[in-house]
Amino acid sequence: MKKKQGITLIALIITIILMLILAGVVISLALGEKGLINIAKYTVQKNNETSSREKLEILFLNMQAEKEININYNKDKYLTSKIEEQNMTIIDEDIVLVNGWMFRDR
C-alpha cells in the first residue's frame, strides 16, 4: 500500500485561524481610529484647506502687484472683481469664503 499524504484537519483549522487573525489585523489597520482610511480623509481635507489658502494668498499677492503697476488702482474694485472671478465670497469685511473654507484677516 502506498502512503497517501495530505493536509490534516488540524492543519486546516490552524491555517483558517491564522488567516482570520491576519484579516482582523488588516481590517483594524484600515478602518481603525488611526487607520489608513481616516488618515487619507484627513490628508484630503488638509490638502483642500491648503489649496484654498494658497488661492487666497495668490489673490493678495496679485493685488499688491497691481497696486504697484496701476496708477488708477482701486483696492475695493480690484478685490471685488477678482474675488468674483475666483468664485470666492466675501462674508464680512475681514472674512472670505474660498471653496467652503472661511479665512479671516488677522
Side-chain angles (χ1 to χ4, degrees):
M1 273 200 184
K2 293 183 180 178
K3 273 190 171 180
K4 291 188 176 180
Q5 292 185 349
I7 190 164
T8 64
L9 186 59
I10 294 174
L12 182 62
I13 291 172
I14 291 173
T15 304
I16 291 172
I17 290 172
L18 287 175
M19 290 182 78
L20 288 172
I21 291 171
L22 287 174
V25 169
V26 168
I27 289 171
S28 70
L29 286 175
L31 301 177
E33 185 178 327
K34 294 186 179 183
L36 296 175
I37 293 174
N38 286 337
I39 290 171
K41 286 179 184 177
Y42 175 77
T43 304
V44 167
Q45 181 182 11
K46 286 308 255 182
N47 184 37
N48 290 339
E49 178 186 1
T50 304
S51 298
S52 299
R53 182 181 308 276
E54 286 176 356
K55 190 175 181 181
L56 188 60
E57 288 173 359
I58 288 170
L59 174 76
F60 287 126
L61 289 173
N62 288 337
M63 186 176 74
Q64 290 175 347
E66 184 71 20
K67 181 179 178 181
E68 294 296 323
I69 61 174
N70 188 351
I71 299 170
N72 300 323
Y73 173 77
N74 181 327
K75 176 186 174 186
D76 294 328
K77 283 183 183 178
Y78 179 83
L79 197 55
T80 303
S81 68
K82 292 299 179 182
I83 283 179
E84 288 174 1
E85 283 177 21
Q86 298 290 326
N87 295 327
M88 299 178 193
T89 308
I90 298 176
I91 295 177
D92 197 1
E93 285 183 16
D94 61 344
I95 299 175
V96 178
L97 184 67
V98 183
N99 298 336
W101 294 93
M102 285 199 299
F103 297 100
R104 182 182 307 267
D105 186 19
R106 294 182 221 178

